[in-house]
Amino acid sequence: MTLTPTRASDVRVRRLTTTLYGYSFLEEFVLLYPVYALLFSDTGLSVWQISSLFALWSITGVLLEVPSGAWADTVSRRLLLWLGPLLTAAGLALWVLLPSYGAFALGFVLWGAGGALGSGALEALVYDELERLDAAGDYARIMGRARAAGLVAVMAAMGLAGPVLTWGGHAAVGAASVLVCLLTAATALRFPEHRTPADGHGSWTGTLRAGLAEARADRSVRGALLLVAAVSAVWGALDEYTPLLVRDTGVADGTVPYLLLVIWAGATAGSLLAGEGERLGRRGLAALLAGAGLALVLGAADGTPWGLLLVALAFGGFQAATVLADARLQRRIEDSGRATLTSVAGLGTELATVGTFGVYALIASGHAHSTAFAVLAVPYLATAALLFAKARA
């Protein structure tokens, strides 16, 4: 039987999305992630040593974010999506086989490099393939589902890490994590890619210069880059402090993970509904950010477990807005520099996230965690006000 062009296109879109959802799930389904701090502590590392490892991880990502994006526009993006999980697997294997400060440091460098290789390359590959199949309008919906798959994987890893750790210790958790990374790399080979390196600018430095020139020349591209960082950074940093916010509501420590699942469920719902937000436009996106910001203020200030429902609603709004901001950026940039500029947006997000960590520390050192959450909702209200003003203009 011969497939009609429409049905053939649907089959190709289905293959792309199935691979994407599997890749996104496996990439986050790493059992070591929820418990690696315990491994560091059990090895005898001090708090300062552990903090220095986190700093090394962040610095690696910041330094490699944009160059790796330019490389993704120069070579095969699928190749980088395959190589990234292999580097992560090597780093995690080092942690378990040779637990020491040096091995942990090298592992974080490999993990940071692996994450940087995939950042920008994944979004660029998916958007270009959808555009080739006349389905670019579905990008936000598809990426929203992919992010939701990743969030479900995080929650599943949280639930399984404890029992596996109790059964087989760090060795069992590490072996499972390395296996999942290898499966992620194998899944990457299933991605279709019709773009060739010849479409680029000859070298990664030339691609980088061309991408940055596009950002300088096009005001709408600059605005989209800034919007991605403004939407993604603050709530991405606040996520690290949600256990402290939950504990401050007065619940027992054993209840904290269950309430965290409520917040993650809100973020997952936001991902799944992101595709519907494509119809919102600039005013709608502003209203979404304003509503999520107000929900965060009210939920954090409530100080009870019931207030966490509003926090979950806020995180759902922020997650949906993050997907929509990414889709907005992809529509505005040229194919040849797509991964480069997506990585530039990722770099801006990383730097803004680090700044948010500093602001949070300043506020929370003298006030309750709920106060810090409420204050850091202000940037979202300010971003919403700017979008409203631009929509009126």
Side-chain angles (χ1 to χ4, degrees), residues 211-343:
L212 296 178
E214 181 183 351
R216 287 194 299 269
D218 193 329
R219 229 166 123 187
S220 68
V221 172
R222 289 200 305 273
L225 287 169
L226 292 172
L227 182 63
V228 170
V231 170
S232 308
V234 175
W235 84 274
L238 289 178
D239 163 57
E240 302 296 333
Y241 300 102
T242 48
L244 302 176
L245 177 69
V246 172
R247 189 168 63 179
D248 275 4
T249 62
V251 300
D253 284 355
T255 308
V256 170
Y258 300 108
L259 293 176
L260 287 176
L261 288 178
V262 173
I263 296 176
W264 279 106
T268 303
S271 276
L272 293 173
L273 294 173
E276 302 300 320
E278 279 277 67
R279 298 192 290 266
L280 292 177
R282 183 175 287 173
R283 289 176 184 268
L285 182 57
L288 176 64
L289 287 174
L294 289 173
L296 183 61
V297 171
L298 296 174
D302 182 74
T304 70
W306 292 106
L308 297 176
L309 292 174
L310 286 174
V311 176
L313 180 64
F315 272 42
F318 296 146
Q319 176 65 65
T322 298
V323 175
L324 293 174
D326 172 48
R328 184 186 181 90
L329 173 64
Q330 300 303 329
R331 289 195 299 268
R332 281 164 172 72
I333 54 184
E334 297 291 335
D335 294 351
S336 59
R338 190 176 304 283
T340 302
L341 288 178
T342 303
S343 290

Side-chain angles (χ1 to χ4, degrees), residues 84-367:
L86 294 182
L87 293 179
T88 303
L92 299 182
L94 275 176
W95 287 3
V96 179
L97 295 175
L98 302 169
S100 63
Y101 181 83
F104 295 148
L106 180 56
F108 265 126
V109 170
L110 291 171
W111 184 6
L117 290 179
S119 176
L122 179 65
E123 294 86 350
L125 184 149
V126 172
Y127 191 90
D128 282 351
E129 289 299 314
L130 288 174
E131 191 171 47
R132 188 182 69 85
L133 297 170
D134 294 325
D138 293 332
Y139 175 82
R141 177 178 59 84
I142 290 170
M143 287 305 294
R145 291 179 178 178
R147 301 278 175 85
L151 292 171
V152 170
V154 169
M155 293 187 284
M158 286 171 137
L160 287 175
V164 174
L165 183 63
T166 301
W167 171 71
H170 293 298
V173 175
S177 301
V178 170
L179 176 60
V180 167
C181 289
L182 295 178
L183 289 174
T184 307
T187 303
L189 296 177
R190 286 184 47 81
F191 274 116
E193 184 178 24
H194 293 81
R195 172 188 173 277
T196 62
D199 295 333
H201 295 270
S203 69
W204 76 268
T205 53
T207 302
L208 178 59
R209 288 195 297 270
L212 296 178
E214 181 183 351
R216 287 194 299 269
D218 193 329
R219 229 166 123 187
S220 68
V221 172
R222 289 200 305 273
L225 287 169
L226 292 172
L227 182 63
V228 170
V231 170
S232 308
V234 175
W235 84 274
L238 289 178
D239 163 57
E240 302 296 333
Y241 300 102
T242 48
L244 302 176
L245 177 69
V246 172
R247 189 168 63 179
D248 275 4
T249 62
V251 300
D253 284 355
T255 308
V256 170
Y258 300 108
L259 293 176
L260 287 176
L261 288 178
V262 173
I263 296 176
W264 279 106
T268 303
S271 276
L272 293 173
L273 294 173
E276 302 300 320
E278 279 277 67
R279 298 192 290 266
L280 292 177
R282 183 175 287 173
R283 289 176 184 268
L285 182 57
L288 176 64
L289 287 174
L294 289 173
L296 183 61
V297 171
L298 296 174
D302 182 74
T304 70
W306 292 106
L308 297 176
L309 292 174
L310 286 174
V311 176
L313 180 64
F315 272 42
F318 296 146
Q319 176 65 65
T322 298
V323 175
L324 293 174
D326 172 48
R328 184 186 181 90
L329 173 64
Q330 300 303 329
R331 289 195 299 268
R332 281 164 172 72
I333 54 184
E334 297 291 335
D335 294 351
S336 59
R338 190 176 304 283
T340 302
L341 288 178
T342 303
S343 290
V344 170
L347 175 61
T349 300
E350 289 283 349
L351 294 175
T353 300
V354 172
T356 303
F357 285 145
V359 173
Y360 190 98
L362 287 174
I363 299 172
S365 60
H367 301 85

Side-chain angles (χ1 to χ4, degrees), residues 22-107:
Y23 186 89
S24 299
F25 181 90
L26 291 171
E27 189 178 31
E28 299 295 340
F29 187 58
V30 179
L31 301 191
L32 259 177
Y33 290 175
V35 299
Y36 61 69
L38 301 180
L39 173 62
F40 300 161
S41 180
D42 291 346
T43 306
L45 269 61
S46 68
V47 174
W48 281 106
Q49 286 177 312
I50 294 174
S51 298
S52 68
L53 291 174
F54 291 155
L56 178 63
W57 183 27
S58 297
I59 291 170
T60 301
V62 167
L63 292 178
L64 296 180
E65 179 75 35
V66 175
S68 67
W71 193 27
D73 281 331
T74 307
V75 301
S76 166
R77 292 162 180 167
R78 180 171 56 194
L79 172 65
L80 269 61
L81 294 175
W82 169 79
L83 182 59
L86 294 182
L87 293 179
T88 303
L92 299 182
L94 275 176
W95 287 3
V96 179
L97 295 175
L98 302 169
S100 63
Y101 181 83
F104 295 148
L106 180 56

